[in-house]
Amino acid sequence: MAAVSSVSRMSGLCFHAVRQRAALNSLRLLQRRSFRLTAMHQQQPFDSSLEKPQFPGASAEFVDHLEFIQPNVISGIPVYRVMDRQGKIINPSEDPQLSKETVLNFYQKMTLLNTMDRILYESQRQGRISFYMTNYGEEGTHIGSAAALESNDIVFGQYREAGVLMYRGFPLDLFMAQCYANADDLGKGRQMPVHYGSKDLNFVTISSPLATQIPQAVGAAYALKRENMNRAVICYFGEGAASEGDAHAGFNFSATLECPMIFFCRNNGYAISTPTNEQYRGDGIAARGPGYGMLSIRVDGNDVFAVYNATKEARRRAVAENQPFLIEAMTYRIGHHSTSDDSSAYRSVDEVNYWDKQDHPISRLRHYMTARSWWSEDDERSWRKQSRKTVMEAFERAERRLKPNPELLFTDVYQEMIPSLSKQRESLFRHIQQYKEHYPLDLYEK
Amino acid sequence: MAAAAARLLIRGSHQTLPISSVGTGKQSCIGNALLTLSSGCNSRLKTQRRHAAHFTFQPDPVPTQYGSTQKMNLFQSITSALDNTLASDPTAVIFGEDVAFGGVFRCTVGLRDKYGKDRVFNTPLCEQGIVGFGIGAAVAGATAIAEIQFADYIFPAFDQIVNEAAKYRYRSGNLFDCGNLTIRAPWGCVGHGSLYHSQSPEAFFAHCPGIKIVIPRGPTQAKGLLLSCIADNNPCIFFEPKILYRAAVEQVPVDAYTIPLSQAEVLQEGSDVTLVAWGTQIHVLREVANMAQEKLGVSCEVVDLRTILPWDTETVCKSVVKTGRLLISHEAPVTGGFAAEISSTVQEECFLNLEAPIARVCGYDTPFPHIFEPFYIPDKWKCFEAIKRMINY
């Protein structure tokens, strides 16, 4: 901050003021002494090539020619992948060798999320919920990373990580309850749809301000490190959010304070309408990691095994070595940013179709399963039917449910109910008694 | 504990000496630079000669109910509170810019040696990071005590405080909270702090449901209120009047004790006018009350608000019902200052009792100036004049 310079100048002033007389003499003495030292230096033969930089701020050699460091953007950090677009393992030594059950679970969670997305997206279009954000194209990043964590690792997310909750077993009813803001919502209907949270599943409640969770995740990781319970923190964010000051804060704090955590960046090419070339000019987000002294990797976000491997290893080392890791998962945001956005206003349908049809995390995993005869057309048909049915059932239950009691508008502002708030609550209740017909009271619990 | 107590005692005996003999070199630079000019330096340098301090600190009576006491100034009483906390709560951590060596105002001296560097540590220079980090530690169950070096530099963390800390419990339906977070920050004018070492930003935060804002008037209050903030299950901002760090000395209990939040304190009973302030300004108003008594024969009731949010309407209104007149004074600018909130509430609650318009004697609506500070602050003469007018209304 600017504070530093102004303050040190002030302290200089004061220093001068306090020791005005005494200091003046000693200052002269110092000057004389330093002069003598310099003079001595000059008398000795001096080989400047033997000099080593002594600056406290960096450990480096001198160079005797002027050269600016060139950012390497054209040939960037490579994208780690395990299977190709046909679901074929490229390098057998990188195959995580997951069991059939595990892989089926991955697939079912990814497709269940996809089914839920379709139904809730449509329900917003019909005005049945107020807002929604799909996860199309990023299902692999959620499931792959969530599977590589321990269930008691704490998750801090942005808003497009519902698959992590899905993987941890968050019930469809609770997803729906949150979107409908009904009386079953753990968040008591206070936040917009898709702002999920679960204490039991160690998934910290989502909030809208971007990147604020990043330094928070670091603080939580620090607390876990002190508890020494072999736990880590994962923090998800998009490449757009990485431009926020809080991202800088979080990366830097995690490195200097040696926190067991994984930064997981979903680089899907867009922040609403803003393409990445208007977001940054370096080699994506992964290239920033080393600048903070952080181990970093870039993975194919449409390859659930690549995501799984990278997260697994980062988690293992983060906990063992108390240091942060950065994973940048390259992917593509197939859906609109949200239901309040029409992405055809700023990108072509062909571009979207490529990722939807040619390089999708779900179809890639399906190829992998089909090649091993773990999944057939029949399995696909019946699973689609079944998953659609369970989602629809949860959807209908959620829609029928009443909203929470309006009293919950006033609780949890503070842990205790403060006097001014209880007065305001009473005043609202007196008011709605008098003007009942103007409020949708029948939709709310009593 | 004993070691810390000894350290405190040693420093206590030094506090009347000039700064140069207390601090060692770099250690005392920033904070002391601000603190000395107001008193220590003024007799030495003609060009820097300043107006006499704008207040006279009045120590509280020696508290008897919390066990043995010790002479402490305000920064020492803060250290003592932090010491008590670290000793009793193994999850508690203290962090911020330059806290490890003892802090630029010496509030954390000795704590790192006593409790370890994983519990008292420097962070990178980044306020939004400090508060975000503190929220996260609190969410994970630790007691997080964050320091912002000057209240003037809390604004980079405004988003984390207002959008995050304050709303954490509410938005999650009480699944998560950061109630274990306390943010401490030096606050208020200091004689020559100019724009960015003098601010009183409490009103910015008073508009934010979900946090508590607390400001003490002296060492005993500081320790008890800070321990309450740390123990409270809501995120708290604790503003420390930096001009009192060394100037205010009184007997402070050595053991932990708490002073309740959201409770104003009537420091002096009176019947004609109610005077409300907080922090250093309380000492100004105490003097004003004496002046009003001597010069005008007016009996003033002096109320220390102590907690800005959620504030104690009851005590203030009760006093105004009795006196019929209210003067509120704060260093911060008048427009949108917290006096406006108090004034409006009292007008709503005590309309039939008010015998004169409520007076606000505050800073002007300008940035906090350097060389014009003596003219800027709402000093005792400005407050006195306001009382005179109110009585003659």
Side-chain angles (χ1 to χ4, degrees):
Chain A
M1 292 240 57
V4 175
S5 58
S6 68
V7 158
S8 58
R9 221 169 293 140
M10 293 178 95
S11 70
L13 237 173
C14 172
F15 184 79
H16 209 72
V18 172
R19 308 193 179 178
Q20 201 201 13
R21 273 162 216 154
L24 220 64
N25 287 336
S26 58
L27 203 73
R28 266 185 222 129
L29 204 73
L30 252 166
Q31 278 171 343
R32 230 175 288 147
R33 207 177 288 159
S34 67
F35 179 72
R36 218 178 294 150
L37 270 171
T38 335
M40 254 164 66
H41 263 287
Q42 281 167 347
Q43 282 167 5
Q44 285 169 358
F46 190 73
D47 180 2
S48 68
S49 68
L50 296 177
E51 268 190 318
K52 298 262 181 264
Q54 299 298 320
F55 308 111
S59 153
E61 298 295 314
F62 283 120
V63 290
D64 58 8
H65 55 280
L66 177 71
E67 189 185 347
F68 291 99
I69 306 296
Q70 188 77 29
N72 198 356
V73 179
I74 295 160
S75 153
I77 295 170
V79 183
Y80 168 70
R81 67 173 180 169
V82 172
M83 59 180 163
D84 65 17
R85 285 173 198 155
Q86 268 59 54
K88 212 175 121 231
I89 300 289
I90 298 159
N91 175 358
S93 69
E94 295 291 320
D95 185 349
Q97 313 260 6
L98 299 172
S99 69
K100 181 182 170 186
E101 290 68 41
T102 309
V103 175
L104 284 184
N105 183 38
F106 281 16
Y107 185 76
Q108 292 185 334
K109 290 284 160 62
M110 285 159 72
T111 47
L112 184 62
L113 174 64
N114 190 266
T115 305
M116 182 177 84
D117 274 351
R118 285 174 201 283
I119 288 167
L120 288 176
Y121 183 81
E122 284 310 315
S123 81
Q124 195 284 332
R125 299 280 96 165
Q126 297 164 9
R128 295 159 93 163
I129 61 175
S130 62
F131 179 77
Y132 196 68
M133 303 177 103
T134 63
N135 302 279
Y136 301 149
E138 300 181 49
E139 297 89 343
T141 60
H142 307 177
I143 302 300
S145 57
L149 300 169
E150 299 295 323
S151 61
N152 64 352
D153 290 342
I154 301 180
V155 180
F156 284 80
Q158 180 165 306
Y159 49 60
R160 213 183 295 283
E161 295 91 7
V164 176
L165 267 177
M166 188 73 86
Y167 186 86
R168 288 194 169 189
F170 198 58
L172 283 173
D173 283 312
L174 290 182
F175 279 113
M176 303 287 174
Q178 201 283 327
C179 290
Y180 267 103
N182 69 26
D184 294 329
D185 176 20
L186 302 173
K188 303 179 187 168
R190 290 170 183 151
Q191 288 213 84
M192 281 174 76
V194 312
H195 291 56
Y196 309 116
S198 169
K199 183 84 180 162
D200 295 341
L201 302 177
N202 295 299
F203 188 99
V204 178
T205 300
I206 299 297
S207 73
S208 308
L210 289 180
T212 48
Q213 80 279 12
I214 299 176
Q216 293 172 12
V218 179
Y222 189 88
L224 295 191
K225 175 174 87 165
R226 288 202 65 239
E227 276 179 13
N228 203 15
M229 298 285 279
N230 190 28
R231 292 170 73 189
V233 171
I234 191 164
C235 178
Y236 295 91
F237 53 94
E239 91 286 349
S243 295
E244 291 280 1
D246 277 335
H248 165 64
F251 297 163
N252 198 26
F253 276 51
S254 71
T256 61
L257 298 171
E258 298 166 356
C259 298
M261 70 165 303
I262 304 163
F263 294 106
F264 193 105
C265 178
R266 299 174 291 95
N267 189 336
N268 62 20
Y270 289 91
I272 307 188
S273 73
T274 306
T276 54
N277 70 342
E278 293 170 24
Q279 199 63 248
Y280 53 73
R281 284 297 161 93
D283 174 25
I285 309 304
R288 296 178 196 172
Y292 291 100
M294 185 156 52
L295 282 102
S296 308
I297 195 170
R298 174 174 280 157
V299 303
D300 182 344
N302 298 337
D303 177 347
V304 71
F305 296 147
V307 173
Y308 174 83
N309 280 355
T311 313
K312 188 98 183 156
E313 178 63 4
R315 200 246 168 230
R316 185 187 69 77
R317 290 191 59 185
V319 172
E321 300 162 19
N322 281 325
Q323 62 164 327
F325 285 75
L326 172 62
I327 299 172
E328 182 184 28
M330 307 309 289
T331 175
Y332 187 84
R333 195 195 79 210
I334 292 173
H336 300 300
H337 163 69
S338 74
T339 48
S340 311
D341 170 53
D342 172 12
S343 66
S344 67
Y346 50 82
R347 62 180 186 180
S348 74
V349 178
D350 289 348
E351 180 185 312
V352 177
N353 275 339
Y354 167 79
W355 294 96
D356 197 18
K357 307 287 183 257
Q358 308 291 318
D359 191 1
H360 197 286
I362 291 179
S363 55
R364 206 191 289 194
L365 187 60
R366 198 174 147 198
H367 287 309
Y368 173 88
M369 289 157 60
T370 313
R372 268 154 197 74
S373 306
W374 290 354
W375 197 251
S376 66
E377 275 300 318
D378 285 346
D379 292 330
E380 180 70 17
R381 258 193 305 276
S382 70
W383 169 243
R384 277 197 182 192
K385 209 170 140 194
Q386 188 198 332
S387 59
R388 197 176 155 76
K389 184 161 171 275
T390 43
V391 173
M392 280 310 294
E393 282 166 3
F395 178 78
E396 279 157 17
R397 278 194 298 274
E399 197 164 39
R400 279 198 302 271
R401 193 85 170 81
L402 287 173
K403 308 293 178 204
N405 189 318
E407 182 192 32
L408 295 179
L409 148 62
F410 295 98
T411 55
D412 302 327
V413 177
Y414 294 92
Q415 188 193 39
E416 68 279 8
M417 174 58 65
I418 61 167
S420 62
L421 265 183
S422 75
K423 260 176 87 175
Q424 290 168 27
R425 180 177 57 184
E426 283 154 31
S427 118
L428 172 67
F429 286 161
R430 271 196 310 278
H431 175 79
I432 52 181
Q433 273 310 307
Q434 201 182 340
Y435 291 90
K436 312 189 181 48
E437 66 277 22
H438 302 296
Y439 294 90
L441 282 171
D442 50 335
L443 303 180
Y444 291 78
E445 282 199 331
K446 286 186 186 65
Chain B
M1 186 72 118
R7 269 195 294 273
L8 290 174
L9 199 65
I10 290 163
R11 212 157 305 108
S13 67
H14 272 256
Q15 90 228 328
T16 49
L17 297 174
I19 293 316
S20 52
S21 61
V22 180
T24 49
K26 180 189 163 230
Q27 292 209 338
S28 50
C29 50
I30 301 175
N32 288 348
L34 286 165
L35 294 172
T36 42
L37 280 179
S38 57
S39 55
C41 296
N42 57 6
S43 60
R44 300 183 178 210
L45 259 186
K46 205 173 178 183
T47 53
Q48 287 289 315
R49 180 168 297 147
R50 304 198 65 87
H51 213 63
H54 73 284
F55 68 98
T56 308
F57 174 74
Q58 294 192 36
D60 278 348
V62 179
T64 50
Q65 66 269 49
Y66 309 118
S68 68
T69 63
Q70 212 169 62
K71 207 169 159 188
M72 295 184 203
N73 63 25
L74 195 134
F75 83 65
Q76 290 162 336
S77 79
I78 298 291
T79 316
S80 173
L82 298 175
D83 188 359
N84 292 150
T85 303
L86 291 169
S88 64
D89 177 355
T91 72
V93 288
I94 295 171
F95 51 89
E97 295 157 13
D98 306 299
V99 301
F101 84 100
V104 300
F105 287 109
R106 325 234 359 104
C107 293
T108 52
V109 167
L111 297 175
R112 182 190 179 90
D113 291 342
K114 192 170 172 187
Y115 296 101
K117 60 183 196 293
D118 68 317
R119 301 191 66 192
V120 181
F121 51 92
N122 290 339
T123 64
L125 205 165
C126 178
E127 285 76 12
Q128 62 201 90
I130 291 169
V131 173
F133 179 92
I135 293 171
V139 167
T143 297
I145 305 167
E147 178 180 304
I148 299 295
Q149 203 159 69
F150 288 86
D152 310 67
Y153 305 124
I154 203 167
F155 300 111
F158 202 70
D159 184 41
Q160 286 284 354
I161 294 170
V162 172
N163 277 330
E164 295 292 316
K167 299 173 172 58
Y168 231 95
R169 187 189 300 276
Y170 186 77
R171 74 183 185 207
S172 69
N174 205 18
L175 293 180
F176 296 93
D177 70 83
C178 58
N180 290 337
L181 170 68
T182 303
I183 302 165
R184 301 172 36 243
W187 167 96
C189 77
V190 67
H192 57 286
S194 176
L195 285 82
Y196 307 111
H197 301 84
S198 308
Q199 289 182 60
S200 305
E202 63 271 19
F204 286 104
F205 296 100
H207 196 53
C208 176
I211 50 172
K212 296 192 175 180
I213 308 162
V214 180
I215 307 175
R217 67 170 183 273
T220 307
Q221 291 287 311
K223 180 171 175 179
L225 289 168
L226 178 56
L227 284 170
S228 287
C229 285
I230 293 168
D232 194 87
N233 286 321
N234 300 287
C236 296
I237 303 178
F238 188 77
F239 287 125
E240 299 163 5
K242 59 176 139 352
I243 202 167
L244 300 179
Y245 272 141
R246 284 167 193 277
V249 183
E250 62 193 13
Q251 288 291 328
V252 178
V254 177
D255 292 337
Y257 61 96
T258 56
I259 295 174
L261 304 183
S262 294
Q263 280 187 26
E265 184 182 5
V266 179
L267 295 179
Q268 180 182 320
E269 305 241 355
S271 55
D272 300 330
V273 186
T274 300
L275 310 180
V276 174
W278 47 92
T280 321
Q281 197 64 12
I282 273 296
H283 304 295
V284 174
L285 290 191
R286 279 178 143 176
E287 226 173 314
V288 170
N290 289 338
M291 288 160 68
Q293 186 69 61
E294 282 165 22
K295 298 189 161 85
L296 310 169
V298 168
S299 156
C300 295
E301 181 144 308
V302 180
V303 180
D304 181 359
L305 194 64
R306 301 198 290 197
T307 301
I308 307 300
L309 190 74
W311 66 287
D312 183 0
T313 47
E314 203 186 318
T315 302
V316 175
C317 290
K318 214 171 115 191
S319 173
V320 177
V321 164
K322 179 175 73 175
T323 61
R325 293 181 186 85
L326 173 62
L327 179 148
I328 312 151
S329 182
H330 57 61
E331 285 175 16
V334 62
T335 301
F338 197 66
E341 179 60 36
I342 300 173
S343 164
S344 161
T345 303
V346 169
Q347 188 268 144
E348 273 176 36
E349 302 286 327
C350 314
F351 188 69
L352 295 176
N353 306 92
L354 283 170
E355 290 166 26
I358 297 167
R360 292 183 286 160
V361 184
C362 306
Y364 301 113
D365 290 336
T366 67
F368 201 107
H370 184 221
I371 204 64
F372 309 120
E373 177 166 328
F375 305 103
Y376 175 85
I377 50 172
D379 62 13
K380 59 185 175 190
W381 300 108
K382 293 178 186 172
C383 295
F384 175 74
E385 174 60 20
I387 291 178
K388 215 157 85 177
R389 262 190 259 147
M390 206 187 302
I391 291 297
N392 296 328
Y393 183 80

